[in-house]
Structure formats: C-alpha cells, structure tokens
Amino acid sequence: MKSGPLALTLGDPAGIGPEIIVKAWARLREDGPRFLVVGDYQSLASASAAGGGVIQRITGPDDAARVFPDAVPVLDMPLKTPVIAGQPSASAAPSVIQWIETAAGLALSGAVSGLVTAPISKAPLYEAGFKFPGHTEFLGELTQAARYDGARGPIMMLAAPGLRTTLVTVHEPLSRVPGLLSVELIVNAGLVTAQALRRDFGIAAPRIAVAGLNPHAGEGGGLGREDGDIIEPAIRALRDLGVNATGPHPADSLFPAEMRERYDAAVCMYHDQALIPVKMLDMWGGVNVTLGLPIVRTSPDHGTAFDIAGRGLARADSLIAALLMAEDIVNRRAA
C-alpha cells in the first residue's frame, strides 16, 4: 500500500536539477510516484518555461497528491539571490542546505514517505562553510538520533539493473584509503548491506562479494598487506555473524556478467572501485541509495552538469529511476 508523497530536493539551482525535475514530472505525472519539490519556485519556473511543465506552490505535503497530475508541487523556500544556470555560486549554499534539512525533517516526521535528492555541487558548499564531504554524510548526521534495527549508516550504495555496489570509504582521497580501512568498518558495511538487501530489496538470503583493495587482492601479500591483514578477517567476522560473504575478490574480475550472477551486492573499498562499474554498466539507470538510515533516500548517480545546465539537454533518466526505486523501497518497508 502506497503512503504519502516523496520529497525531492532541488539540488544546486545553477545545475541541471530544476530541468530534470520538470522532465521527470512530465514522465511520471500520470502513473508514477507522487512527489513534492523542496526548493526555489523561481528556479523551477524558469526550467518549466523551457520544458513545458507547470509549477504550483503548495503549503504542505497534503497538497501534493491533489496538485501533482496538473503541476509540479513545490514547497517554496526562495533563494536569497538569483542564480544563473551553469554558474555555481556560494550565495545559494545556505538555501541548498536548508532544503536538504527541511526535506529530511519531513521524512523523519512521516509527513513524506521518503527523500530523493537532486545533485549538489560540493565546492560552493565548502566555500560557504559546509563541513560534510557530501549528501550521504550530511544525511547521516541529520538522522543519527533515529537509527533503526541497529543499523550503523550511512552506507552508500550504487544500484543499477544487474549490479549493486556499496562503499566502505566514500569521499576520501585515494591516498588515505589504506589507512582508513579496518575490520570494524568493513564488517559494518557488510552488515548494513545485507540488512538493506533483505529489507529494502526483498532478497531473503543475500550474497555479498567483498572486493580486495590491491591488485589481485594483494597477491598473497606481495602487492599489499591490507587484503590479508584487514579484509580477510572482516569477511570471516561477517560469516560468523551469519552473512554469506565471500572474498576478497580481485576487483578487476569481480564485475563481468558471469561473476555478477554469483552475488547480490559487492562491498567495495573506495569510491571509484564501486562507482565506475555501475556507471559503465548503466550510466542512465543507476541510482545512489543511502543505506542504514531510518528514512528512505535515493538520488541520481550523476552530478550537477553545469556545462549543459539551462540548455535543455539534460536527461532525467537517472532521477526517474531514483524516484521509482524510492517508491519501491517505501512499499517494501511498509509491507
């Protein structure tokens, strides 16, 4: 049984967020998941003028279902100063942060059924004093007082038809990754991944493949000690905790189709190890899912694309996939 609307944050207003939101609404307005936008009305109105949509202010989530078939419902939280498409500005950062905080609050309170986030750009946020590496970590902080089932998120998952990957480290320089890895960190990622596969993806007996860090998973220590000293003990601990985990698998042979048939998710050690295979497999169908939170949160698997913002060229496929996946997870949790 479907619950209330999803909340969709506008993202960086100078990026492609406003455009792909209007395009997603046009595709989903008849029989797709209902959503309301938390963001700046004028940014959406400008995108709507180019994309053929209609925008309507609402006073709260209860208005969204009534408005949605005819217009994009927006909970208007205006920018202090206008922005120009394709030109990111730190002046918009306080509003971008406020939109995320508001939408997360709506989800935590149950006023909306889940959260979908349009892309943000980190650099303008950092310039304005934002202290988190990205969306994922910020949402973990906003929801930390409301854990569920002992989960210790946030854990980032990239999901596309045929492949799911989760990350042990996320927005970290590659030079720091070996020093950050620990048995506890890997075990936590594996546990949260297995829990989410059961609860959010309907897989009763999830199979987890754990990637190695070094070439050939360390080649018995000849190409690095982390695989044997950290990753292997973590896999043994996961098995002791009842998780069907295998590895460490050499990452260069983990993602061909024949290998993907053997697991339901791959736990990866660092950002690009997890994101490159998903985007190579299905750039436009991939979805970023945050696991281990008390709320449902998904996002497109791409960025703000400032180079094409405002030109009518952006594709809404990944945002549509994110909205559909959020609706699926909401329904599974409700069941």
Side-chain angles (χ1 to χ4, degrees), residues 1-307:
M1 181 176 180
K2 296 181 180 180
S3 53
L6 299 165
L8 171 56
T9 55
L10 186 65
D12 192 307
I16 60 172
E19 179 182 340
I20 61 175
I21 287 172
V22 172
K23 289 180 176 179
W25 169 80
R27 289 262 296 274
L28 298 172
R29 57 183 295 193
E30 293 185 4
D31 56 5
R34 273 30 185 167
F35 62 82
L36 62 91
V37 180
V38 180
D40 176 55
Y41 172 88
Q42 192 55 52
S43 296
L44 277 169
S46 298
S48 178
V54 179
I55 315 299
Q56 184 171 330
R57 291 183 178 91
I58 58 172
T59 59
D62 291 343
D63 294 335
R66 173 182 57 80
V67 168
F68 192 84
D70 301 311
V72 181
V74 56
L75 195 61
D76 186 23
M77 303 180 71
L79 289 164
K80 303 302 182 187
T81 57
V83 300
I84 299 172
Q87 299 182 24
S89 172
S91 67
S95 292
V96 173
I97 294 167
Q98 184 185 25
W99 300 336
I100 299 168
E101 291 173 335
T102 299
L106 290 171
L108 282 169
S109 72
V112 298
S113 60
L115 171 61
V116 182
T117 56
I120 60 173
S121 175
K122 281 79 168 182
L125 296 179
Y126 297 157
E127 188 179 340
F130 188 66
K131 301 185 184 304
F132 298 90
H135 256 136
T136 299
E137 297 85 354
F138 186 36
L139 288 167
E141 177 68 19
L142 291 174
T143 62
Q144 67 175 343
R147 292 283 183 252
Y148 74 90
D149 292 351
R152 291 168 289 169
I155 296 293
M156 180 186 288
M157 171 183 277
L158 272 291
L163 178 62
R164 303 178 191 92
T165 62
T166 58
L167 288 73
V168 176
T169 67
V170 186
H171 296 112
E172 298 291 349
L174 191 56
S175 61
R176 294 190 60 202
V177 170
L180 291 171
L181 292 179
S182 67
V183 172
E184 292 77 13
L185 205 62
I186 296 167
V187 168
N188 181 64
L191 287 173
V192 174
T193 300
Q195 181 192 65
L197 289 172
R198 288 190 295 267
R199 182 176 188 180
D200 295 340
F201 293 88
I203 299 171
R207 303 164 298 165
I208 306 295
V210 181
L213 173 68
N214 296 297
H216 309 294
E219 197 71 73
L223 297 177
R225 300 294 310 174
E226 294 87 357
D227 301 272
D229 293 349
I230 300 172
I231 301 175
E232 285 184 11
I235 293 169
R236 291 195 295 270
L238 284 168
R239 291 174 184 156
D240 290 343
L241 291 167
V243 177
N244 181 1
T246 61
H249 298 279
D252 64 350
S253 57
L254 184 55
F255 301 109
E258 182 178 352
M259 283 297 295
R260 297 200 310 270
E261 293 176 357
R262 303 177 188 179
Y263 59 84
D264 300 300
V267 174
C268 299
M269 296 302 112
Y270 57 92
H271 186 277
D272 286 7
Q273 189 181 61
L275 271 67
I276 288 173
V278 173
K279 292 187 177 185
M280 286 289 292
L281 182 67
D282 191 350
M283 176 66 185
W284 298 111
V287 177
N288 179 348
V289 191
T290 306
L291 311 181
L293 299 183
I295 63 173
V296 175
R297 184 264 173 153
T298 66
S299 181
D301 71 349
H302 57 72
T304 51
F306 291 123
D307 57 324

